[in-house]
Amino acid sequence: MPTGLCLPFLTDAHLRLHQEAQDFAASRLAGPARRMEARGPHTDRDVREILSGTGWLGLLIDTADGGLGLDHTAKTLVLQAVSRVSPAAGAILQASILGAAPIAEYGSVELRRRLLPEIAAGRCWPSIAVTDPEHGSHVLGMQATARPSRGQYILDGEKVLVGNAALADVHCVIVRTDQPGHRDRDEPGRGGSLTAFLVEQDAPGVTVVPAPVNGLHGFSVDTLRLTRVRVPAANMIGEPGDGHAIAQMASVVYGRLNLAAVALGIHQQMLDETARRVTTRRRLGGHLADLPTVRHHIALMQHHLMTAELAAYHAARLLDAGTDCDPWLHNAKLTAHRAGAASSELAKQLYGGHAARLGEPIEQLRRDIDLIHAPAGTDDLQLLRLAESVLGPHRPQWSTQHAARRALRAA
Ligand SMILES: Cc1cc2nc3c(=O)[nH]c(=O)nc-3n(C[C@H](O)[C@H](O)[C@H](O)COP(=O)(O)OP(=O)(O)OC[C@H]3O[C@@H](n4cnc5c(N)ncnc54)[C@H](O)[C@@H]3O)c2cc1C
């Protein structure tokens, strides 16, 4: 179970899955986690092989499409358990779950049949490529384009910080197909100037440009360059103009909780390591853990972790119940990152000068939690959305759209 957290809504199936994920992570990922960290920034392929056999890429994919057909609570439990042992493996897994979301939610019958069973079986790894080098979180400002040409589209432009860029076999790429217009709104259900396409990694003109980051070693967040890439019209995901909705839905409904779960795993490992440190480091005839100040810091770390878990699992539960819950999803991501960052500062106090020593697990974990800040929206972006939930403009919710589409598929 997540740290001391009572989750009355967890079913026996959730509990079994969580145990399975914990056992799997301990037996299969602990070794690769150490190796990935020691190697520095790179793209790890061994973990891809290890995770491919789990079926967890298809955790949220409908059983009719070859997936496990599980819920967001199950996904959060698995990602937290994996990330507790290997934050990079958690990041790799979450990025592929995120990459499958556009196809599962908006893909044509043909795209779904062709890709989802392959993804669920771990034979095809997807990414989602939205982030523009200049416009970042202002998705509607993106500059990469697609223009129609004899039954195909020709894509040009660059996407940065793409999770699994160098690992994926297919990329769900959002590009501009029209000038920004009156139909562009940051709201579900409105067509606009952006469109989503499935781009095969081996298509001529697709290049992955290495752009290493310092953290989550083994996880690729490289640049995807598209130079006159020809894509069949059948590879369009959804309708022309659906790109903004697809990007937002993926980020709000899938990304917020994915990253919250990875943050929870990192946070939990940080608390495990720090507790071990203070109970074994000698001081004044006893151990650091005997000192009231140290106990207070550990209590605060536990408080941060429990608060973040409550925020994440509450949001997951609401999402699974089909409730309007966008603010809870923003809050889950915001709280998971901020609480983890606050615990990172406390761990720094408790490790003293050793907090920055290369090879100390805490040094790695403090870098890894920092990297959770930006994906699926920075803290400021989540605060912007939370302010809107109070002060307006009040927007229709992406979670509602997600629930409606799920109900339609189930019917
Ligand atoms: C580990 C990792 C994984 C990632 N995975 C993916 C992925 O799989 N696919 C993908 O497409 N992208 C991915 N990203 C990119 C991520 O989504 C972006 O970094 C994020 O959206 C923010 O964009 P930006 O970095 O360009 O920051 P910017 O948009 O430049 O924002 C920087 C800061 O400017 C301020 N700001 C910006 N806009 C506003 C505003 N409207 N109101 C108030 N303040 C504002 C805020 O302080 C904000 O934090 C990943 C990033 C990382 C680090």
Side-chain angles (χ1 to χ4, degrees), residues 40 189 191 238 260 291 334 360 363:
L291 304 172
L334 177 71
E360 274 290 353
E363 187 272 334

Side-chain angles (χ1 to χ4, degrees), residues 2-14:
T3 303
L5 180 62
C6 174
L7 295 171
F9 52 82
L10 291 188
T11 62
D12 288 346
H14 283 134

Side-chain angles (χ1 to χ4, degrees), residues 37-73:
E37 177 50 29
R39 203 175 144 192
H42 67 288
T43 302
D44 197 87
R45 296 191 172 275
D46 294 346
V47 161
R48 169 179 160 146
E49 286 315 303
I50 294 169
L51 289 171
S52 287
T54 58
W56 292 335
L57 272 74
L59 212 145
L60 291 176
I61 294 175
D62 294 344
T63 50
D65 291 320
L68 297 177
L70 301 178
D71 59 16
H72 291 272
T73 304

Side-chain angles (χ1 to χ4, degrees), residues 128-131 135-137 160-163 219 221 371 374-376 378 380 384:
I128 180 164
V130 179
T131 304
H135 297 268
S137 48
V160 292
L161 292 163
V162 176
F219 177 47
V221 271
L371 266 191
T378 64
D380 280 350
L384 191 72

